[in-house]
């Protein structure tokens, strides 16, 4: 290899590396968000309850907001608008999905947490947001959300808001995604 | 090694004198400079991140 | 350290006040919250630091250009290096920057104060209007541009608040901490009111938050700050800040009105009242895209007048209005409008502009679809 | 960054490049084929420069449509849909079609001349990377005629406005951007290969003129970030056409991720558009001050340090997107740090002027106004770096004022300065000084009339990218629009000046400027098609 070829070879290697890096950034960013709580992202895997001393000295208000996205004729409702819990205390709240249309449809509730730092201190044990839901025409489905706020929740956070936005899932889409994007989590 | 780090530090600071530079380019191996440059960039990130974390408390 | 900080901020706000009286409408508004005032003085401090640096640097430059021009007989020297000078002019900016970073960090930390708020407002951006929901208060409404199209097109004199007026301003109490939760139904928008120093992106699927404690009653205007499509320029924000007790009265009235409307769901509505209500809802929600005369703007916004596909299929019409169409600007209105408004606007669309379906959709029918 | 490589033996000097040259000496195609098939760095450089000038005018016309609509409140000339296409196309064309190719054009012409190489290291690749550009931009411009119109989501094309809600032509937009990106990458590879391998014997890296140095670092930046852009637009393409959800919240994606990826490319891109300008100005100021550049080594190190820092500041474009406090602080601090090496550069230029023997040819006038106006853009950049204040500045005309100050009287003035400076070398004639001065003063006045009032309208609360605005911004906008037309018209003087210079004028000697020292001034003016076929003797100037 003459020196020019060597230089070109090296730059091309760097180039391909950077192109791959761009795609690697997608899962890296996801992981980074979950570790640091950026964007209020919560893990999409169930976690188990940790038995820790319940901090009875303070109350935290947990609000539930459900929103309907476009193109899914469903209603999602929380049993309670908000609950007051102690950090460390496992809590169960029921949510009801109903499909008011005359077709069977698949949908997903996309979660978000505010303030975003709180997502680091939220342990979801059971959540309908971990998976897609399929509802027959006119079906109503009650599903629980079981969560626990960790004891080390920063003292200045007194309200945690959990937001769920409903989105339709096209049947073909969910499969395609699992193929092209295995990194985004096996539960898609 | 110390000389290499000193030169790279000078580069980060943006100031370097003529004599020092001549010395670098007579003796230094380029790989050493590049490695030191990358290492110091990482150090810079860590230091600024640490400052930010401390400041956010 | 603290002292010099306070001194800098003080000097900044003094210079700032001096110039704000001079330059009204040329500068950032001082605003009506703690944070906005702090940002303003930070802005002025840094502005004046830049001015001073600029005067020194450009002073030396123009002196050299004048003093050492060849037409005056200047002979060039040959120096090209001086390590100590270079170290000095690297170190001094570093110190100045540290001096800037300290107050900036302090202000930023005050902006990120998640402590308990007394009122939660959910702000949802939609192409191209804002939807506000007072969380837990059963009050929600959509706020859209009220400047008539004729003013935009120059057929009419533009009024004082041209493009900055809405049909329903967001009403907030003075002196209470308000928490905003921002999200979006379609693309990214950004909710910005300069006087409150709140600018926050509203992002589909995610929730952002921001806090404000307004100190003076008044009307504060702002605009969407993130390009969000064709009518990005036409989705203003108006905040009406009122005294706390006035706010409570207002909120109670709105709750009563909402309750009254809710109780009206069960009764049979006549065609005329549905049409009247529907026209009002259509004007504030639908007309920006589908046009006041229902002619739409193809291909993105289908015409509603004479739309056979829609007129022949009532269920489809209801479905589109309630649930939106994914991938288009058509939002799902099931959460934004109440059953009466939904029934009325659908009825209106089916019977206005020469559409003659004769369907009168009853609020109770809609209610059944929302449970 | 391989900024400290020692001198390479340059034995292969003549062998490496002769492959592309050997057959050229005999029969040269004529007419259009000459330009289509040329592998000569000077001809390709000319092609790049002419192309970027054409793009500059097309992008400029789009800008004038925008400014004409904004001349007064209300919608007069265009509808919002078309307005958005104009702002988007203006940005895309100016960034990817005008500024970047003009720098590549200057590099093609001057890098081989300044390092004493006979041509670029890969002449045929050079031809290919140029001819990708006209194809790419013809495709991009043709989207305006497609149903649903061209791209209308801003040059930053934030998802989901550019994916789920984009016009059907977006796939073609992505394709054209891919081509422009490949062109830049190939250009960068060529420049790196030339600089590292084809320098005149005896020329070490630290002897290279600053224009070569800044281009070397720029080329590394291009190699590092253009693939990221390619990755982002590929993801967009997949989201639009193959049902993935990289940026779509409905499928578990994240619209904010788009912005992180885009700005990880976008911020180094900003420096790609300014570093070569630093190099040009660093060549011109010492020439007309008749004094060596002050702090040559510092200039090189400052450039390298700006390049490294440019990878650590991207999220300062995203302060209002909802970042956690720590991230806001981190990006605020790193952004402020960039002010230091940038300041060092400005101080070095001024120290070069100090105790010089200064004359004011057109090239010098542009270079000096670059220093002043770029610094003003730097000041507003510093203000924007302050995160809390950015909550008020973000996405307003203050930002528009800032980046136009660094790009128009920054990058574009530097290119014009470079053109006036090297025209005698290219054409053998001096440019008409009187015409040049008219062009300069009209441009400077026009630029400031256009962009200075934008600081005020932005601070007063005018968001960017709006086709219509509230009445309190009317006066500022009217002034801006008048200035924009003045600036636009005065560029015709530039074209006239260049044409006049090509056709004739005062003959220039090899060393056209008294204070010019670099290697390009050792070849005759105009530079013959083939130069340095035997490597020149290089004696380092003591920096």
């Amino acid at each position: 290899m003459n020196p020019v070829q060597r230089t070109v070879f090296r730059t091309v290697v760097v180039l391909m590396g950077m192109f791959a890096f761009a795609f690697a950034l997608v899962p890296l960013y996801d992981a980074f968000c979950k570790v640091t709580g950026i964007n209020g992202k919560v893990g999409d895997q169930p976690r188990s309850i940790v038995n820790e001393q319940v901090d009875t000295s303070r109350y935290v208000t947990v609000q539930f907001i459900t929103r309907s996205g476009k193109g899914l004729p469903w209603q999602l409702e929380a049993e309670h608008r908000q609950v007051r819990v102690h950090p460390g205390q496992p809590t169960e709240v029921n949510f009801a999905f109903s499909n008011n249309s005359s077709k069977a449809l698949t949908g997903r509730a996309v979660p978000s947490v505010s303030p975003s730092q709180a997502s680091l201190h939220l342990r979801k044990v059971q959540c309908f947001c971990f998976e897609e839901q399929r509802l027959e025409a006119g079906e109503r489905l009650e599903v629980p959300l079981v969560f626990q706020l960790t004891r080390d929740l920063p003292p200045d956070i007194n309200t945690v808001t959990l937001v769920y936005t409903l989105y339709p899932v096209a049947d073909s889409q969910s499969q395609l995604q699992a193929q092209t994007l295995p990194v985004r989590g096996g539960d898609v | 090694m110390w000389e290499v780090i000193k030169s790279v530090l000078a580069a980060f600071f943006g100031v370097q004198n003529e004599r020092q530079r001549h010395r670098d380019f007579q003796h230094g191996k380029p790989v050493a400079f590049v490695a030191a440059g990358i290492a110091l960039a990482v150090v810079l990130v860590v230091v600024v991140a640490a400052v930010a974390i401390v400041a956010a408390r | 350290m603290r002292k010099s900080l306070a001194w800098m901020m003080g000097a900044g706000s003094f210079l700032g006040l001096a110039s704000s009286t001079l330059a009204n409408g040329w500068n950032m508004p001082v605003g009506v919250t703690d944070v906005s005032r702090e940002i303003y003085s930070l802005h002025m401090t840094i502005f004046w630091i830049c001015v001073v640096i600029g005067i020194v640097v450009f002073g030396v430059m123009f002196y050299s250009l004048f003093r050492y021009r060849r037409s005056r007989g200047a002979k060039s020297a040959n120096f090209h290096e001086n390590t100590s000078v270079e170290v000095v002019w690297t170190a001094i900016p570093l110190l100045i920057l540290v001096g800037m970073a300290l107050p900036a960090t302090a202000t930023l930390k005050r902006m990120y104060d998640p402590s308990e708020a007394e009122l939660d407002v959910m702000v949802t951006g939609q192409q191209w209007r804002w939807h506000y929901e007072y969380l837990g208060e059963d009050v929600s409404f959509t706020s859209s541009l009220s400047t008539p199209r004729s003013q935009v097109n120059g057929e009419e004199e533009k009024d004082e608040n041209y493009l900055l007026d809405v049909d329903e301003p967001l009403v907030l109490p003075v002196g209470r901490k308000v928490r905003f939760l921002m999200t979006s139904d379609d693309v990214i928008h950004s909710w910005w009111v300069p006087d409150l120093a709140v600018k926050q992106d509203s992002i589909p699927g995610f929730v952002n938050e921001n806090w404000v404690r307004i100190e003076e009653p008044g009307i504060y205007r702002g605009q969407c700050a993130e390009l969000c499509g064709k009518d990005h320029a036409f989705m203003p924000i108006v905040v009406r800040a009122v005294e706390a007790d006035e706010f409570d009265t207002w909120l109670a009235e709105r709750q009563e009105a909402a309750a009254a409307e809710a109780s009206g769901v069960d009764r049979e509505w006549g065609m005329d009242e549905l049409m009247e209500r529907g026209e009002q809802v259509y004007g504030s929600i639908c007309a920006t895209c589908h046009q006041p005369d229902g002619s739409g703007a193809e291909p993105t916004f289908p015409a509603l007048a004479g739309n056979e596909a829609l007129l022949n299929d009532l269920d489809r019409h209801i479905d589109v209005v309630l649930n939106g169409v994914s991938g288009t600007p058509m939002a799902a209105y099931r959460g934004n409008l109440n059953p009466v408004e939904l029934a009325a606007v659908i009825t209106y669309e089916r019977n206005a502009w020469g559409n003659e379906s004769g369907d009168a959709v009853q609020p109770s029918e809609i209610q059944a679809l929302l449970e | 960054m391989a900024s400290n490589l020692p001198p390479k033996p340059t034995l292969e000097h003549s062998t490496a490049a002769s492959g592309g040259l050997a057959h050229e000496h005999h029969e040269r195609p004529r007419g259009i084929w000459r330009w289509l098939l040329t592998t000569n760095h000077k001809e390709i450089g000319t092609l790049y420069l002419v192309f970027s000038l054409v793009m500059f005018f097309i992008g400029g016309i789009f800008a004038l449509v925008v400014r004409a609509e904004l001349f007064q409140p209300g919608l007069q000339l265009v509808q919002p849909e078309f307005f958005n296409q104009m702002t988007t196309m203006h940005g895309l064309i100016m960034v990817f079609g005008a500024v970047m190719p003009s720098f590549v054009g200057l590099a093609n012409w001057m890098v081989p001349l300044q390092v004493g190489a006979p041509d670029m290291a890969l002449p045929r690749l050079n031809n290919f990377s140029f001819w990708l550009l006209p194809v790419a931009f013809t495709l991009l411009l043709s989207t305006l005629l497609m149903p649903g119109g061209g791209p209308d989501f801003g040059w930053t094309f934030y998802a989901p406005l550019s994916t789920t809600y984009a016009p059907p032509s977006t796939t073609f937009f992505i394709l054209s951007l891919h081509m422009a990106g490949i062109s830049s990458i190939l250009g960068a590879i060529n420049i790196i290969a030339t600089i590292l391998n084809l320098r005149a014997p005896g020329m070490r890296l630290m002897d290279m003129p600053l224009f070569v140095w800044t281009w070397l670092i720029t080329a590394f930046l291009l190699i590092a970030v253009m693939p990221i852009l390619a990755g982002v637009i590929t993801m967009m393409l997949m989201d639009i056409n193959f049902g993935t959800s990289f940026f779509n919240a409905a499928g578990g994606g994240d619209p904010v991720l788009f912005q992180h990826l885009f700005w990880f490319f976008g911020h180094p891109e900003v420096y790609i558009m300014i570093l070569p300008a630093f190099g040009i100005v660093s060549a011109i100021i010492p020439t007309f001050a008749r004094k060596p550049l002050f702090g040559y080594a510092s200039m090189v190190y400052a450039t390298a340090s700006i390049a490294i820092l440019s990878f650590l500041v991207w999220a300062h474009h995203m302060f209002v997107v909802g970042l956690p406090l720590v991230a806001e602080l981190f990006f605020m601090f790193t952004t402020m740090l960039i002010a230091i090496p940038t300041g060092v550069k400005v101080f070095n230029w001024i120290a070069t002027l100090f105790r010089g023997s200064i004359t004011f040819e057109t090239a010098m006038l542009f270079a000096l106004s670059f220093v002043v106006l770029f610094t003003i853009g730097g000041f507003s950049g510093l203000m924007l770096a302050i995160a809390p204040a950015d909550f008020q500045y973000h996405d307003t005309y203050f930002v528009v004022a800032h980046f136009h100050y660094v790009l128009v009287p920054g990058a574009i003035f530097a290119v014009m300065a470079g053109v006036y400076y090297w025209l005698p070398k290219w054409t053998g004639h001096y440019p008409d000084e009187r015409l040049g001065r008219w062009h300069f003063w009209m441009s400077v006045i026009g630029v400031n009339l256009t962009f200075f009032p934008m600081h005020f309208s932005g601070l007063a609360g005018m968001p960017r990218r709006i086709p219509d605005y509230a009445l309190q911004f009317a006066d500022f906008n009217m002034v801006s629009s008048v200035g924009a037309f003045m600036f636009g018209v005065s560029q015709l003087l530039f074209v006239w000046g260049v044409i006049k210079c090509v056709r004739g004028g005062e003959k220039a000697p090899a060393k056209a400027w008294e204070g010019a020292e670099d290697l390009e001034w050792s070849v005759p003016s105009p530079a013959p098609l083939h130069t340095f076929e035997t490597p020149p003797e290089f004696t380092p100037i003591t920096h």
Side-chain angles (χ1 to χ4, degrees):
Chain A
M1 245 198 271
N2 73 33
V4 171
Q5 285 168 335
R6 195 160 51 229
T7 310
V8 171
F9 177 75
R10 284 180 189 164
T11 36
V12 170
V13 169
V14 174
L15 228 127
M16 311 237 277
M18 288 308 286
F19 188 69
F21 179 62
F23 283 84
L25 279 171
V26 176
L28 280 177
Y29 173 75
D30 238 25
F32 190 72
C33 285
K34 275 168 202 158
V35 173
T36 57
I38 294 181
N39 257 351
K41 276 198 184 177
V42 208
D44 47 11
Q45 298 297 326
R47 298 169 62 184
S48 44
I49 290 194
V50 174
N51 269 322
E52 54 185 3
Q53 186 89 52
V54 174
D55 182 358
T56 49
S57 65
R58 63 187 277 226
Y59 272 112
V60 179
T61 306
V62 181
Q63 300 174 318
F64 305 101
I65 298 177
T66 56
R67 307 179 55 245
S68 23
K70 286 173 191 178
L72 192 65
W74 287 14
Q75 193 79 1
L76 174 61
E77 261 162 57
E79 167 192 28
H80 306 290
R81 195 176 262 157
Q82 60 182 50
V83 292
R84 278 160 72 71
V85 298
H86 298 297
Q89 171 193 347
T91 312
E92 179 172 334
V93 176
N94 276 318
F95 282 72
F97 284 86
S98 39
N99 178 355
N100 329 90
S101 78
S102 50
K103 285 187 293 232
L105 290 164
T106 312
R108 175 194 296 134
V110 173
S112 182
V113 180
S114 177
S116 56
Q117 307 96 286
S119 63
L120 288 179
H121 308 278
L122 176 71
R123 215 175 264 140
K124 284 191 185 176
V125 181
Q126 198 178 344
C127 181
F128 47 86
C129 55
F130 292 149
E131 58 223 3
E132 292 165 6
Q133 313 289 335
R134 185 161 178 89
L135 263 66
E136 298 304 319
E139 187 185 343
R140 184 181 159 87
L141 177 72
E142 283 218 4
V143 278
L145 164 72
V146 183
F147 70 94
Q148 182 186 28
L149 287 170
T150 60
R151 262 196 72 126
D152 54 3
L153 184 77
D156 52 354
I157 297 181
N158 297 307
T159 308
V160 176
T161 309
L162 307 186
V163 182
Y164 297 95
T165 311
L166 275 177
Y167 287 106
V169 179
D171 288 341
S172 58
Q173 196 185 341
S174 54
Q175 277 163 21
L176 226 166
Q177 226 185 324
Q179 277 168 14
T180 48
L181 263 185
V183 283
R184 277 212 93 94
D187 60 321
V188 174
Chain B
M1 195 60 215
W2 174 236
E3 291 298 326
V4 172
I5 293 175
K6 227 163 68 183
S7 292
V8 177
L9 271 177
F12 268 79
F13 199 62
V15 175
Q16 177 68 300
N17 69 26
E18 194 65 23
R19 203 158 25 88
Q20 187 92 5
R21 177 169 71 73
H22 275 296
R23 209 207 31 240
D24 289 351
F25 282 88
Q26 263 137 37
H27 307 297
K29 276 214 184 83
V31 182
F33 283 99
V34 172
I38 292 171
L40 273 176
V42 173
V43 170
L44 178 80
V45 171
V46 171
V47 168
V48 177
V51 171
I53 288 167
V54 170
R57 278 184 207 285
Chain C
M1 185 62 79
R2 291 242 159 224
K3 240 184 193 161
S4 66
L5 242 175
W7 185 86
M8 270 178 60
M9 300 283 275
S13 39
F14 171 75
L15 288 169
L17 271 177
S19 56
S20 75
T21 47
L22 277 176
N24 207 7
W26 291 55
N27 200 354
M28 184 190 285
V30 181
V32 289
T33 70
D34 254 0
V35 168
S36 77
R37 268 192 293 273
E38 247 179 74
I39 289 179
Y40 177 78
S41 76
L42 197 60
H43 156 69
M44 290 317 291
T45 310
I46 290 168
F47 170 68
W48 284 111
I49 292 175
C50 289
V51 168
V52 171
I53 299 174
I55 289 173
V56 173
V57 171
F58 296 148
V60 175
M61 178 171 169
F62 281 102
Y63 168 79
S64 308
L65 290 181
F66 180 78
R67 172 76 178 70
Y68 302 110
R69 61 193 203 278
R70 194 164 64 160
S71 54
R72 258 175 117 248
K75 292 269 181 293
S76 59
N78 198 33
F79 66 89
H80 50 79
E81 198 179 58
N82 186 330
T83 308
S84 37
V85 169
E86 291 181 53
V87 168
V88 167
W89 75 35
T90 312
I92 290 178
L94 188 64
L95 292 179
I96 296 176
L97 288 178
V98 171
M100 289 178 176
L102 289 174
T105 306
T107 303
L108 199 58
K109 284 174 73 173
R110 254 187 293 283
M111 294 171 78
Y112 275 73
D113 164 24
S115 64
E116 195 84 62
E118 292 158 84
L119 176 69
D120 293 335
V121 180
M122 181 108 179
V123 179
T124 310
Q126 295 168 348
Q127 285 179 326
W128 290 275
R129 64 188 83 84
W130 297 96
H131 183 261
Y132 300 112
E133 183 179 358
Y134 294 75
L135 290 180
E137 308 286 356
D138 282 325
V139 173
S140 74
F141 54 85
T142 302
S143 172
S144 34
L145 177 75
S146 64
T147 302
R149 208 69 200 177
S150 53
Q151 289 191 15
V152 176
N153 294 334
E155 293 142 11
E156 210 184 315
E157 189 82 10
K158 295 176 174 46
D159 67 26
E160 191 193 349
N161 293 317
Y162 175 68
L163 292 190
L164 294 178
D165 235 350
V166 296
D167 50 359
E168 285 238 43
L170 175 66
V171 180
L172 294 177
V174 161
R176 287 187 193 163
K177 185 168 178 182
V178 179
R179 180 170 70 129
F180 295 115
L181 291 171
M182 316 260 184
T183 189
S184 163
D185 276 343
D186 34 54
V187 299
I188 300 177
H189 302 269
S190 191
W191 196 86
W192 179 35
V193 178
D195 278 307
L196 312 186
V198 175
K199 183 187 283 150
Q200 192 81 62
D201 283 358
S202 81
I203 298 166
F206 292 84
V207 177
N208 266 332
E209 47 180 10
N210 212 308
W211 301 266
V212 71
R213 190 192 294 271
I214 305 174
E215 287 169 1
E216 282 168 42
I219 295 198
Y220 308 111
R221 295 171 199 276
Q223 281 177 272
C224 175
E226 179 66 64
L227 177 63
C228 54
K230 96 178 162 77
D231 281 352
H232 166 51
F234 305 100
M235 51 182 293
I237 296 146
V238 179
V239 173
R240 190 158 70 88
V242 297
E243 296 296 349
D245 46 354
E246 195 183 335
F247 174 78
D248 292 335
T249 322
W250 174 86
L251 194 64
E253 276 168 20
R254 291 302 298 239
Q255 281 164 337
E256 235 168 84
E261 189 125 286
S263 69
V265 168
D266 296 331
R267 75 179 169 85
E268 183 84 5
W269 284 59
M271 189 67 157
D272 290 346
E273 45 180 351
L274 283 172
M275 286 296 281
E276 191 186 328
R277 190 69 214 276
E279 183 169 8
Q280 189 193 337
V281 176
Y282 186 86
S284 104
I285 309 276
C286 320
T288 38
C289 303
H290 294 288
Q291 303 306 315
D293 61 357
S295 61
E298 301 285 353
T300 322
F301 308 108
L304 302 179
N307 185 329
E308 290 300 321
L310 211 59
L311 291 175
N312 292 335
D313 190 350
L314 176 61
D315 287 344
R316 168 84 186 130
H317 192 166
I318 293 175
D319 177 51
V320 168
V321 174
L322 260 59
N323 304 311
V325 181
S326 80
T328 73
M330 184 67 198
Y333 288 99
R334 58 163 58 229
N336 293 336
L337 298 175
N338 64 39
V340 174
E341 290 167 327
L342 288 165
V345 79
I346 296 169
T347 306
Y348 177 75
E349 287 170 357
R350 299 183 73 76
N351 297 287
W353 330 292
N355 288 354
E356 283 169 357
S357 69
D359 298 326
V361 180
Q362 288 301 323
S364 51
E365 294 172 45
I366 301 293
Q367 177 72 31
L369 290 170
L370 295 179
E371 279 164 358
Chain D
M1 213 84 338
S3 51
N4 290 317
L5 294 174
K8 280 241 167 86
T10 45
L11 286 175
E12 67 286 352
H13 190 278
S14 44
T15 48
S18 57
L21 288 173
H23 61 273
E24 271 191 355
H25 285 284
H26 313 292
E27 43 193 300
R28 290 182 46 80
R30 297 188 163 272
I32 184 121
W33 290 106
R34 170 184 167 199
W35 295 101
L36 273 175
L37 300 176
T38 180
T39 55
N40 180 284
H41 74 102
K42 300 187 183 74
E43 289 181 340
I44 293 175
T46 305
L47 285 174
Y48 267 111
L49 289 171
V50 170
F51 174 79
S52 63
L53 187 65
V54 171
M55 285 297 136
F56 180 56
F57 273 92
I58 294 176
I61 287 166
F62 294 166
L64 291 183
V65 172
V66 168
R67 281 318 324 170
E69 176 55 54
L70 293 174
F71 182 69
Q72 55 182 37
L75 293 178
Q76 288 87 23
L77 301 172
V78 296
Q79 287 304 304
E81 293 89 334
F82 189 68
F83 182 91
N84 287 345
Q85 294 173 36
M86 285 293 103
T87 51
T88 306
M89 281 297 209
H90 164 67
L92 290 169
I93 297 238
M94 287 303 196
V95 168
F96 296 102
V99 174
M100 288 170 67
S102 68
F103 282 139
V104 180
L106 290 175
N108 258 291
W109 252 104
M110 303 320 299
V111 164
L113 285 180
Q114 289 196 324
V115 301
D119 202 306
M120 298 294 277
L122 307 153
R124 273 173 292 225
L125 189 72
N126 205 9
N127 173 292
F128 178 62
S129 59
F130 170 75
W131 284 109
L132 272 176
L133 281 181
V135 179
F137 283 89
T138 309
L139 182 61
L140 183 62
L141 287 169
S142 72
T143 58
L144 285 175
L145 306 173
M146 293 180 187
D152 57 1
F153 27 66
W155 87 274
T156 51
F157 48 98
Y158 280 6
L161 188 61
S162 64
T163 53
T164 319
Y165 296 86
S169 65
T170 306
T171 304
F172 295 100
F173 151 78
I174 291 172
L175 196 62
S176 68
L177 213 52
H178 262 309
M179 283 196 274
I182 291 170
S183 164
S184 305
I185 288 171
L186 298 180
I189 292 179
N190 213 340
I191 289 168
I192 292 174
T194 309
I195 296 174
L196 293 186
N197 299 296
L198 300 189
R199 292 194 308 282
M203 182 188 271
R204 296 164 306 174
L205 283 174
M206 282 311 256
D207 297 324
M208 300 192 308
L210 259 170
F211 179 66
V212 178
W213 251 120
T214 50
W215 241 117
L216 179 64
I217 291 170
T218 303
F220 278 115
L221 283 181
L222 280 167
I223 296 290
V225 299
M226 291 315 278
I228 305 274
L229 175 70
V232 179
I233 57 181
T234 307
M235 291 177 206
M236 276 174 64
L237 189 75
M238 288 163 75
D239 270 11
I240 293 172
N241 296 315
F242 304 115
T244 57
S245 301
F246 288 100
F247 309 129
N248 182 3
D254 184 347
V256 179
L257 171 66
F258 174 88
Q259 299 183 27
H260 281 290
L261 292 175
F262 179 83
W263 286 114
F264 189 77
F265 145 78
H267 204 79
E269 166 72 19
V270 170
Y271 288 95
I272 287 167
M273 290 192 286
I274 202 67
L275 293 184
F278 290 164
I280 296 168
V281 170
S282 304
I284 292 173
I285 287 182
T287 298
F288 297 104
R290 292 167 182 77
K291 187 165 158 281
L293 182 68
F294 186 89
Y296 170 87
S298 307
M299 285 299 228
V300 173
Y301 286 125
T303 310
S305 120
I306 289 175
I308 290 175
L309 282 172
S310 74
F311 285 96
L312 304 175
V313 298
W314 76 89
H316 69 212
H317 297 272
M318 304 165 57
F319 279 146
V320 303
V321 90
L323 296 176
L325 179 57
V326 176
E328 299 255 340
L329 289 170
F330 177 85
F331 288 107
M332 175 167 86
F333 296 155
T334 51
T335 307
M336 291 171 85
L337 280 180
I338 283 202
I340 295 175
T342 315
V344 165
K345 286 184 163 293
V346 173
F347 299 148
N348 281 344
W349 289 322
I350 292 174
T352 308
L353 293 171
F354 189 73
R355 296 187 55 204
S357 169
I358 304 168
T359 51
F360 300 93
E361 284 80 355
T362 311
M364 183 65 162
L365 289 175
F366 273 104
L368 292 173
S369 71
F370 169 92
V371 174
V372 175
L373 298 177
F374 174 79
T375 306
I376 290 178
F379 285 142
S380 55
L382 188 56
M383 294 171 78
L384 284 160
I386 308 296
D390 186 65
F391 275 79
Q392 293 281 43
Y393 306 139
H394 182 85
D395 264 334
T396 67
Y397 260 78
F398 190 79
V399 178
V400 178
H402 159 70
F403 68 71
H404 279 96
Y405 259 87
V406 294
L407 281 173
V408 185
I412 289 180
F413 272 25
V415 172
M416 286 171 175
V419 169
Y420 279 110
Y421 180 59
W422 283 308
L423 263 178
K425 182 54 58 195
W426 301 338
T427 66
H429 310 290
Y430 284 105
D432 183 335
E433 276 300 320
R434 214 165 68 96
L435 201 56
R437 271 198 298 275
W438 270 97
H439 171 223
F440 170 74
W441 285 109
M442 298 262 296
S443 297
V444 164
I445 295 168
V447 149
N448 284 292
L449 267 185
T450 313
F451 299 116
F452 209 78
M454 289 183 183
H455 291 113
F456 302 126
S457 48
L459 289 175
M462 179 166 164
R464 62 191 282 206
R465 293 166 168 169
I466 54 175
D468 192 7
Y469 50 84
L471 299 181
Q472 68 260 39
F473 312 124
D475 297 345
F476 297 127
N477 275 284
M478 195 174 277
V479 176
S480 284
S481 291
V482 171
F485 276 90
M486 179 173 170
F487 180 76
V489 170
S490 58
Q491 299 323 306
L492 296 173
L493 293 179
F494 175 65
V495 177
W496 183 25
V498 171
I499 293 175
K500 212 175 147 196
C501 183
V502 172
R503 298 170 66 116
E506 192 192 333
K507 289 264 179 279
K511 186 174 170 180
W513 310 108
E514 184 193 342
E517 301 293 348
D518 293 324
L519 267 184
E520 76 262 34
W521 305 107
S522 66
V523 302
S525 302
L529 206 53
H530 301 290
T531 42
F532 297 133
E533 296 195 274
T534 47
E537 273 307 303
F538 177 76
T539 34
I541 319 157
T542 40
H543 283 296

